[in-house]
Amino acid sequence: MARRNEERRAALVDAAIEVLAKEGARGLTFRAVDTEAAVPAGTASNYFANRDDLLTQAGARVYERLRPDEATIARQRASTPDRETYAQLMRELIGRISAFRTGYLALLELRLEATRRPGLRALLTERVRADVDANVAYHEESGLPGDATAVRLLYLAFNWLIVEQLTLPGVFSEAERDRLVEAAVERIVTP
């Protein structure tokens, strides 16, 4: 029977994210999570039915932690809906993801593991599709320029920019990254 202490569960899932980022999916064991969370051996196995459950919850937790807070959303909604605002939103998004480096690296590990686990692939596909759809819906509600295709193209372009930034940070400086974000918005988002 799975335990219900939600604070402990969140700490264990956060530890799983750290293990995924440091050791990869193959290094994600209940013992490694217990060690990372600094809890007694066997604790993680009391909270998760199996390794797949832990992998799935780790992926969901990354998305949860990357979600902007209500104050950020309110500020974004109050901004002028133009390309300059769009570029600023994209810089903030990339900054938020870069600040949670281990979370994004854990997601990359989960994607790789999903190539070998059909169940995880189905869950990640559903989650990522929902995320893309939510971004398109948010964009359409915001009145920002551009269409759904622009949102999808920026999603694809910025995902690789983020991978580059987190795995090989010396390829582009922060200033170069910001100029690339601005150029992508200018070229992809039509008024």
Side-chain angles (χ1 to χ4, degrees), residues 128-148:
V128 171
R129 183 75 230 178
D131 188 47
V132 170
D133 291 346
N135 283 318
V136 168
Y138 178 84
H139 175 83
E140 289 171 346
E141 292 169 10
S142 72
L144 287 164
D147 60 7

Side-chain angles (χ1 to χ4, degrees), residues 2-190:
R3 298 277 172 104
R4 297 196 183 267
N5 180 333
E6 293 307 316
E7 188 174 302
R8 171 70 59 93
R9 178 183 297 281
L12 290 166
V13 175
D14 287 342
I17 291 166
E18 297 300 315
V19 171
L20 279 168
K22 291 179 200 171
E23 306 296 329
R26 298 288 182 207
L28 183 68
T29 64
F30 286 149
R31 183 174 298 197
V33 171
D34 289 340
T35 300
E36 181 69 31
V39 297
T43 302
S45 64
N46 290 322
Y47 281 83
F48 306 99
N50 51 44
R51 193 166 172 274
D52 284 347
D53 183 28
L54 182 58
L55 286 164
T56 302
Q57 289 193 41
R61 178 77 169 143
V62 170
Y63 279 98
E64 184 181 301
R65 289 181 57 187
L66 286 174
R67 189 176 304 125
D69 61 23
E70 291 303 318
T72 300
I73 292 171
R75 183 181 45 75
Q76 291 171 350
R77 290 182 190 259
S79 299
T80 306
D82 56 18
R83 288 196 315 187
E84 184 177 314
T85 296
Y86 203 135
Q88 181 59 33
L89 294 175
M90 296 300 99
R91 283 192 295 274
E92 288 175 9
L93 172 66
I94 291 170
R96 192 167 53 251
I97 292 170
S98 295
F100 186 31
R101 181 178 187 270
T102 55
Y104 199 82
L105 293 175
L107 279 179
L108 292 176
E109 286 292 335
L110 287 169
R111 283 176 178 238
L112 291 172
E113 189 66 14
T115 65
R116 296 175 286 276
R117 295 175 176 267
L120 182 59
R121 180 175 41 245
L123 287 168
L124 282 178
T125 298
E126 181 181 322
R127 178 59 205 218
V128 171
R129 183 75 230 178
D131 188 47
V132 170
D133 291 346
N135 283 318
V136 168
Y138 178 84
H139 175 83
E140 289 171 346
E141 292 169 10
S142 72
L144 287 164
D147 60 7
T149 299
V151 173
R152 291 181 184 104
L153 287 171
L154 289 173
Y155 166 83
L156 293 169
F158 292 155
N159 262 307
W160 197 257
L161 179 62
I162 292 164
V163 168
E164 205 71 36
Q165 194 74 33
L166 296 179
T167 60
L168 302 170
V171 172
F172 299 112
S173 70
E174 193 170 328
E176 287 174 307
R177 181 188 75 192
D178 288 347
R179 285 193 301 272
L180 287 168
V181 168
E182 209 165 301
V185 171
E186 284 177 22
R187 294 175 187 195
I188 294 173
V189 179
T190 56

